Amino acid sequence: MASTYLESLRRFFGRVRDSTPVRFARTHKRPLAILVLVAFFVFVGVYIAVDPSIVARALSIGWSNVALLALLYCGIIATHFGILDSTIRLCGMRLGAREGLLLTIYSTVANFFGPLQSGPGVRAAYLKTRLGMRLRDFTAATLFYYAAFATLNVALLFVIVAPWVSALCVTALAAAVFFVVGRFLPGARLGPLIAITCFTAAQVVIMSTVFFVELNAVGSSPVPFTRALVYGGSANLSLFVSITPGGIGFREGFLLFAQGLHHVTPPTIATASIVDRAFYVLFLGALLVLSSVLNLRGMFGTKGEGEAPSNDGG
């Protein structure tokens, strides 16, 4: 059964790899990379020009909160990098730290502005080209990450009203790690798999901490951290169904649906969402500018160990 599924998956990705759009992207990697960068900066510029108050709203929460949010979002990027590096090691390969960090940044930007979950697609294409990683191996590791992410967020969702459900979710995740290793992977791969799980747990907690800071910065009454954990769990689960940049609209719908669990009022949800989107767009813009500057040599055609992911990965 498993081999039949993997064979079908391999044929599907083979058709995708040989399709006209993918072949065109491989042939025109550098122009497309520059086009994507230009399009992103134009988008941000128009976004701010249409609504200049977005900057003021992002900064109205106070410079101390802005600095704290920047630090927390850097922590989220670090967990994405850790998950990427652990995934590569799980597949028995290695990628330089600088190259991996650039790939993490570019794929995070693509994940925000692209349809559905575009980030994994960017990473899969790059790792296939750069390291020859099999798409089925990357897909299996990514599906495990998504399963861990979903399980941990469901655990957060019930941490107040039904702690036993949260404990059951964590136990099930731990059992899944050892089952996957025992059933499909050699024991030497246990370390990377545990690392993916730990980085995912850290990511979930940091994301909830971001919401905790934002809710208390804009709300009229204090929000306890436990309620922020529930809020974060419901917000993060919306990522699985969103087809808009950053899940705009979907996240708010999930938060309103789960209001009986986290008890955050609709006005506070709306205000916190505005602050979060405004700050995150500015953060991604700053991050992309910084990474582009660091990778300027590669963008102009000098190849080296830290070559831009956008050049090799389409």
Side-chain angles (χ1 to χ4, degrees):
M1 177 67 71
S3 60
T4 302
Y5 171 76
L6 290 176
E7 183 61 31
S8 300
L9 198 61
R10 182 162 51 245
R11 287 197 299 268
F12 170 75
F13 282 118
R15 290 194 297 269
V16 172
R17 183 182 63 249
D18 297 330
S19 64
T20 301
V22 173
R23 283 190 282 109
F24 177 84
R26 287 203 302 263
T27 307
H28 303 84
K29 289 178 289 189
R30 192 177 306 280
L32 288 174
I34 296 174
L35 179 63
V36 168
L37 288 175
V38 171
F40 174 78
F41 289 126
V42 168
F43 175 84
V44 173
V46 171
Y47 193 61
I48 295 176
V50 171
D51 185 12
S53 64
I54 184 175
V55 179
R57 287 199 299 270
L59 297 179
S60 65
I61 61 175
W63 285 106
S64 59
N65 284 325
V66 168
L68 182 55
L69 287 176
L71 182 63
L72 289 169
Y73 271 119
C74 286
I76 293 174
I77 295 297
T79 62
H80 280 303
F81 171 73
I83 291 168
L84 173 66
D85 182 68
S86 301
T87 297
I88 295 172
R89 290 191 294 109
L90 182 65
C91 297
M93 299 177 180
R94 292 289 187 274
L95 189 69
R98 181 174 180 271
E99 194 174 3
L101 181 59
L102 288 171
L103 176 58
T104 299
I105 292 172
Y106 292 144
S107 60
T108 299
V109 173
N111 203 58
F112 181 83
F113 292 104
L116 296 174
Q117 296 293 309
S118 302
V122 172
R123 291 190 286 272
Y126 181 77
L127 295 174
K128 171 67 176 178
T129 303
R130 181 69 172 84
L131 301 178
M133 181 180 293
R134 295 186 302 180
L135 292 178
R136 68 174 183 179
D137 293 339
F138 179 84
T139 299
T142 300
L143 289 176
F144 177 81
Y145 159 67
Y146 279 144
F149 187 81
T151 302
L152 290 171
N153 279 293
V154 170
L156 292 185
L157 199 60
F158 294 99
V159 73
I160 294 178
V161 298
W164 65 271
V165 174
S166 301
L168 184 62
C169 287
V170 174
T171 303
L173 179 58
V177 171
F178 290 97
F179 172 78
V180 169
V181 172
R183 180 68 176 82
F184 299 105
L185 297 173
R189 302 291 174 86
L190 179 60
L193 201 66
I194 291 179
I196 292 175
T197 306
C198 292
F199 279 121
T200 304
Q203 184 179 96
V204 167
V205 173
I206 294 174
M207 293 173 79
S208 292
T209 305
V210 167
F211 295 130
F212 173 72
V213 173
E214 293 170 347
L215 289 172
N216 283 284
V218 303
S220 57
S221 57
V223 176
F225 188 67
T226 51
R227 281 169 55 192
L229 290 175
V230 178
Y231 184 97
S234 56
N236 292 337
L237 287 172
S238 69
L239 297 175
F240 290 100
V241 297
S242 62
I243 58 174
T244 56
I248 295 175
F250 288 91
R251 180 200 286 179
E252 288 72 19
F254 270 63
L255 290 170
L256 289 173
F257 182 77
Q259 187 183 1
L261 297 175
H262 55 67
H263 302 295
V264 177
T265 62
T268 301
I269 292 175
T271 307
S273 293
I274 291 174
V275 170
D276 184 73
R277 310 302 179 145
F279 183 87
Y280 194 48
V281 168
L282 294 175
F283 176 80
L284 286 180
L287 198 64
L288 190 55
V289 168
L290 177 61
S291 62
S292 298
V293 170
L294 292 175
N295 199 45
L296 193 59
R297 188 166 62 97
M299 289 293 293
F300 281 97
T302 303
K303 295 184 180 294
E305 181 183 355
E307 188 173 3
S310 55
N311 294 337
D312 287 338

